[in-house]
Amino acid sequence: MPGADAGPAAMLLTGAAVLALLITFAGLWPLLRVGAAADRMMGMQLLGSGVIAALLLLDAAHAVPGVLDVALALALLAPFASVAFVLSGRRRPPG
């Protein structure tokens, strides 16, 4: 049964996933408090990377169907957010 394995390796990987999320949130906190739009955008990219790492670790630990697919979908969609942010800051020439 997927997700039923609670061996030492699964517990270690789950702990690593939690640690990855904690470190991500610790690094994200100052970025969101301070400032500029570019800083906040980089913070969201950091959050996305941390969540993807945690999902990959959880998939390796528990082999729950669909977790790997969600992590890969997030990894594929994350660059589009950066591109949209950059393009939204450009001014269009009049006319």
Side-chain angles (χ1 to χ4, degrees):
M1 177 174 151
D5 185 304
M11 289 174 48
L12 180 67
L13 288 171
T14 302
V18 170
L19 184 64
L21 285 176
L22 289 174
I23 290 171
T24 300
F25 286 123
L28 182 65
W29 181 253
L31 287 175
L32 292 180
R33 286 188 57 206
V34 173
D39 292 335
R40 288 193 302 272
M41 185 62 197
M42 291 307 296
M44 290 298 110
Q45 290 293 319
L46 171 69
L47 178 64
S49 298
V51 168
I52 290 166
L55 286 172
L56 290 173
L57 286 166
L58 288 174
D59 180 64
H62 301 289
V64 176
V67 173
L68 181 62
D69 295 335
V70 170
L72 293 176
L74 288 174
L76 286 172
L77 292 174
F80 290 107
S82 294
V83 170
F85 175 75
V86 169
L87 292 178
S88 71
R90 290 188 178 174
R91 293 184 183 252
R92 293 185 181 180

